[in-house]
Amino acid sequence: MEPSPRNPPAQLRKRKSVLYRPETPATGDLARWSAGLPGEKAGLALLTIAVRLLNCSLVQTSFVPDEYWQSLEVAHRMVFNYGFLTWEWAEGLRSHLYPLLFASVYKGLHLLQEDNVQLLIWLPRIVQALLAAVADVKLYSLVKQLDNTEAAKWVYFCQLSSWFTWYCCTRTLTNTMETVLTTLALSYYPMEGTKMGSSLHYLTLAALAFIIRPTAAILWVPLLLWHFWKEHRKRHLLLLGYIPVGLGTLGTSLVIDRVFFGKWVVVHLNFVKFNVLQNLATFYGSHPWHWYLTQGLPAVLGPHLPFFIHGCFQAPRRYHLFLVVVLWTVAVYSMLGHKEFRFIYPVLPLCMVFCGLVHQRGTLDVMGHLRGLCQSSPSQKPASVLMLMPCHSTPYYSHIHCPLQLRFLQCPPDLTGRTDYQDEADLFYSSPLDWLQEEFVANTSLLPSHIVFFSVLEQGISPFLVSHGYEKDATFFHTHLPEGRIGSHVYVYQRNQKQR
């Protein structure tokens, strides 16, 4: 089944095959390499900043009082020595760390003698918009590292088109900052399939999210436990990661609050006492336990809800941790009486990952299925796979990692100088049934044990499959938008053992 080489030296000519589409996974290694160039990252960053600044300018409504009273009003008092502090600050339920960000902006304007009211109103929102843009780019980078550029683009699109993110991400809410810090932390989190770097980056960002809003601990508990369980050097992680980062950020928060409260206050204990132990937050309203499942999460996801549900079933195993985090967070919040849409905002970027992973998954998922062929028993004839798809549609041995006999339709450029040149893929698609007959009828011993192809090809080659004893073995969803040679599903057909 090894294809014969066709590499005589000749002058290259421009190729016009329909297989070469620059926006699809079939573009091969060159596209994946160029997608990581600094120019692409700079362009993505500039686009995201432009979108979020537009977002900031268009959202001119009020959501909840906290976006002013728990951030900007406090910052104004910190710099200009006048302003109203709500009862939460008198009771020591809030940390000054988040208002300090905007107090720094106000102080800069004051020193420049540019503290006019319009700048005081808009600059904090612009700062928040820029932070949201950084989080968007980091989410794109995370999915690109875990999966591929195509999946990252769809997740990025889902993130930018999320109505609730658009509505909230430029507001000066602690929930917004918690979401930003959580997204940034996840981009450094040691997920399966990512490069293992220092844990201090994600731990510091997660700790800051907890300092700003203690409820961030709910989301991070399963992530921290999973990391500890998977980590081989547990003592190292505990003594040089969890403990020093936790104590360092908590100590910094205590000092900042000591300066502005005028006394030592542990706001996080007060927060837990008020909201959990005494459950006094229900004074502002209470909802039934199922509210997040029946109203909260569906409303926050909006039109992305069906894609999220479908993505939960289609996502590969390494993303199950994210799904656990989403379900755990919603479950814990469901046990609290007082519920608001914004409380589950931090899990929304994780939901967008599942929404974007729906598109073009099949060519990756099928490789996990083919890996199972590596475990065939010695008594069985070794498995072999023929991929009847546009060339480079799937990964190859990097996703199999065993000497399984594989063959795909090749599509090198014209190295012969012939005007009638057609590559192997073009020859096959010009007449699939004739190509299969020529390849295998004369020598059936070369027939592969498995054939992989897109669903659009099934009807055209079904006579060959039936006559040679092939039966459908597996089906993988690929895309809602099939086009040309790319089908909605990827099929795996296996030849009957008796005929092999």
Side-chain angles (χ1 to χ4, degrees):
M1 290 183 63
E2 290 295 326
S4 59
R6 292 181 285 181
N7 298 311
Q11 185 177 2
L12 292 175
R13 67 176 175 86
K14 187 175 181 180
R15 178 180 164 76
K16 298 181 180 179
S17 172
V18 295
L19 294 176
Y20 281 76
R21 301 174 187 262
E23 295 291 330
T24 68
T27 50
D29 295 336
L30 179 60
R32 287 190 289 273
W33 174 80
S34 62
L37 290 177
E40 186 246 8
K41 294 180 180 179
L44 182 70
L46 291 175
L47 172 64
T48 312
I49 290 172
V51 169
R52 288 308 177 202
L53 289 178
L54 176 64
N55 187 169
C56 180
S57 67
L58 292 179
V59 176
Q60 301 184 28
T61 58
S62 175
F63 181 23
V64 289
D66 282 5
E67 62 185 295
Y68 314 112
W69 292 91
Q70 306 299 342
S71 55
L72 301 185
E73 188 69 15
V74 181
H76 190 277
R77 184 181 177 91
M78 292 165 72
V79 174
F80 301 106
N81 298 318
Y82 67 96
F84 188 86
L85 297 181
T86 60
W87 66 270
E88 293 99 330
W89 297 93
E91 296 296 325
L93 296 181
R94 306 286 186 179
S95 169
H96 284 85
L97 186 59
Y98 185 52
L100 186 60
L101 170 65
F102 304 120
S104 302
V105 175
Y106 286 173
K107 189 64 176 180
L109 292 173
H110 180 62
L111 293 175
L112 295 171
Q113 297 183 347
E114 294 291 343
D115 51 322
N116 68 74
V117 68
Q118 290 301 317
L119 288 178
L120 294 180
I121 291 171
W122 283 101
L123 271 187
R125 292 196 59 195
I126 291 173
V127 169
Q128 194 65 64
L130 294 175
L131 291 172
V134 173
D136 293 337
V137 173
K138 281 295 187 180
L139 182 64
Y140 170 88
S141 301
L142 170 65
V143 179
K144 181 179 176 180
Q145 191 175 10
L146 284 172
D147 224 297
N148 57 45
T149 302
E150 191 69 21
K153 288 177 181 177
W154 281 99
V155 172
Y156 175 77
F157 172 77
C158 290
Q159 175 73 354
L160 292 191
S161 62
S162 166
W163 82 268
F164 196 75
T165 298
W166 186 273
Y167 187 64
C168 290
C169 72
T170 64
R171 299 185 186 276
T172 52
L173 281 164
T174 54
N175 310 91
T176 300
M177 196 61 186
E178 178 191 356
T179 304
V180 166
L181 290 171
T182 295
T183 306
L184 295 179
L186 286 171
S187 69
Y188 296 104
Y189 185 76
M191 284 286 293
E192 180 184 349
T194 61
K195 295 179 181 179
M196 294 290 289
S198 172
S199 298
L200 295 180
H201 294 93
Y202 97 82
L203 288 174
T204 302
L205 291 164
L208 287 174
F210 170 75
I211 296 299
I212 289 174
R213 191 165 180 85
T215 51
I218 297 173
L219 184 149
W220 279 100
V221 161
L223 290 167
L224 293 173
L225 290 176
W226 186 88
H227 183 195
F228 186 76
W229 178 59
K230 298 290 287 187
E231 177 62 51
H232 297 296
R233 299 183 301 167
K234 288 181 171 56
R235 182 178 298 180
H236 181 274
L237 177 62
L238 191 64
L239 298 180
L240 298 181
Y242 288 2
I243 292 177
V245 170
L247 292 178
T249 50
L250 182 60
T252 302
S253 175
L254 288 172
V255 171
I256 292 173
D257 289 329
R258 173 68 177 82
V259 171
F260 292 101
F261 279 123
K263 60 181 179 180
W264 293 106
V265 178
V266 184
V267 298
H268 311 90
L269 291 179
N270 294 338
F271 185 93
V272 172
K273 179 182 177 182
F274 178 86
N275 289 285
V276 180
L277 301 181
Q278 297 178 344
N279 200 26
L280 294 177
T282 54
F283 173 78
Y284 295 100
S286 61
H287 299 82
W289 66 268
H290 56 77
W291 186 83
Y292 281 119
L293 293 174
T294 57
Q295 298 180 54
L297 190 60
V300 166
L301 284 169
H304 290 90
L305 178 61
F307 299 104
F308 169 70
I309 294 173
H310 187 64
C312 290
F313 290 99
Q314 297 294 332
R317 180 181 173 185
R318 62 179 174 275
Y319 288 99
H320 290 180
L321 177 62
F322 285 169
L323 183 58
V324 169
V325 171
V326 172
L327 296 177
W328 159 263
T329 304
V330 172
V332 173
Y333 273 117
S334 295
M335 292 187 289
L336 303 177
H338 180 59
K339 299 175 177 66
E340 295 186 39
F341 294 110
R342 62 190 174 103
F343 292 170
I344 56 172
Y345 179 31
V347 304
L348 192 55
L350 292 178
C351 295
M352 292 301 105
V353 170
F354 291 95
C355 295
L357 284 168
V358 171
H359 183 69
Q360 298 196 169
R361 287 246 33 101
T363 52
L364 292 173
D365 294 338
V366 73
M367 300 308 288
H369 178 77
L370 296 180
R371 275 197 298 273
L373 301 179
C374 299
Q375 311 300 324
S376 58
S377 63
S379 59
Q380 291 180 323
K381 183 179 178 181
S384 55
V385 182
L386 172 63
M387 298 179 180
L388 297 177
M389 314 169 85
C391 60
H392 309 301
S393 289
T394 68
Y396 214 47
Y397 283 109
S398 64
H399 282 53
I400 294 288
H401 195 52
C402 76
L404 187 66
Q405 192 174 8
L406 303 176
R407 178 182 175 183
F408 69 97
L409 300 174
Q410 297 196 42
C411 53
D414 179 15
L415 300 174
T416 64
R418 293 182 300 167
T419 57
D420 61 343
Y421 173 78
Q422 282 188 298
D423 61 41
E424 188 177 32
D426 284 340
L427 286 170
F428 168 76
Y429 278 104
S430 64
S431 182
L433 209 53
D434 290 340
W435 187 92
L436 289 169
Q437 296 288 348
E438 285 185 23
E439 287 286 321
F440 300 112
V441 169
N443 191 350
T444 56
S445 63
L446 296 178
L447 283 168
S449 62
H450 294 75
I451 299 179
V452 181
F453 53 87
F454 282 115
S455 52
V456 292
L457 192 62
E458 184 179 40
Q459 186 175 356
I461 64 172
S462 59
F464 175 86
L465 297 173
V466 172
S467 63
H468 291 87
Y470 285 97
E471 299 174 352
K472 189 179 292 184
D473 178 47
T475 300
F476 300 94
F477 173 80
H478 186 63
T479 180
H480 291 291
L481 305 171
E483 179 186 10
R485 298 171 182 177
I486 308 297
S488 61
H489 292 75
V490 174
Y491 292 157
V492 179
Y493 270 72
Q494 180 178 2
R495 196 176 183 213
N496 191 296
Q497 289 282 351
K498 295 180 181 179
Q499 300 196 34
R500 289 170 60 180

